[in-house]
Amino acid sequence: MMEDTGDRRRSRVALEVATYSILGFWLFYVVIASTQSLIVGWDNQFELVQRRIGVTIAGIALTFLLYGILRKVDERSFGERIAVAFIAAIPCAIGIGLANYFFFNAYKPEVIYRDPEMLREMIRHPYLAKNVAEIAVSRYFFLTAWAALYLAISYASETREAERRVAAYQQTAKEAEIRALRYQVNPHFLFNTLNSLSSLVMTGRNDEAEAMIMNLSTFYRTSLSGDPMDDVPLSEEVRLQRLYLAIEAVRFPDRLETDIDIPEDLMRLCVPGLILQPLVENAIKYGVSKANRPVKISISARSERGKLVLTVSDDGKGPGDAAEHGTGVGLANVRDRLQARFGSKAGLVTHAPQGGGFVVTLAMPEVRDGC
């Protein structure tokens, strides 16, 4: 129903739709008029039908003329189009009145009117203006009814197109937000990792620094190869976190312990790429790096009423210091990415157990295809 004309987008009722509506309206007229004629009991019904068809053809042509006029003002305001429809219907109705007068009064009236007195009266007093006006008034309402249908279809078409444009803009904005949030993860992670690498170099732990560089290279080669808009299998996300934990294990060989507990059947589910990265990074930053004892980072998953529930936890510092987990880029990034990807169907919850540590739980719809 929409046509593009250069830089301007015009909302128009398609010719096919207009044709069907016009033919439908005039078919309705023929049926009603013919039924009325049969009920009244006019003679020579076949001749009446022929002439009625002549009026109908003229009416269809004039209605198409009205359609052409309305198309010309498609870019005007809706109020202006209504005004044009009501004004343009006047000459069209008069034209139909003239066609009706010709077929039923001027052209061989003796064929359809048997009463001699009626015929003589018609010849002496043709009453052209009166007869045309009577028909024009009734056909005017007929034409404005069709014009109202046209305007309703046109308005509905505009509304649908506006909704499609809004949806397209929203989708574009959503994709841009997801991309921006995903790209935000990489420099944040790189900054922290380079700090760790710098510490190793400055303390003369060159072999460990080299191992970290190799793992870092593998991590980035894998994580940057995909489109930020694409989901990845949970198995791939876990593999990336293992790489990252291997990088950090070089820095904290005696303090970092890991436990990954994810059922095999959940590994095929799709998740946003690097969705766990900021959480694991936070656990390293606030749990492992600030402890003077071994700290275990746990990653687990379960299925719960059609949702995938992922948990990242550590048993590091106690509740007082664990609140630090809620600051910075990490949790906000994950929360925003879940919102952009799944809306209200996903969420993030944090918990600081009284015995120490920090727990982050993600819940999102189970997605089995598309990655």
Side-chain angles (χ1 to χ4, degrees), residues 102-156:
F102 172 77
F103 282 108
F104 286 95
N105 293 72
Y107 178 71
K108 296 182 180 180
E110 66 276 5
V111 177
I112 54 176
Y113 301 115
R114 304 297 187 181
D115 188 345
E117 182 62 30
M118 178 185 292
L119 289 172
R120 284 194 294 272
E121 180 65 21
M122 289 175 65
I123 294 172
R124 285 198 303 268
H125 305 288
Y127 296 116
L128 172 63
K130 179 182 177 181
N131 285 312
V132 169
E134 287 179 355
I135 297 298
V137 169
S138 62
R139 298 303 178 267
Y140 175 77
F141 289 103
F142 182 88
L143 290 172
T144 53
W146 176 85
L149 174 64
Y150 170 90
L151 292 173
I153 295 173
S154 176
Y155 185 77

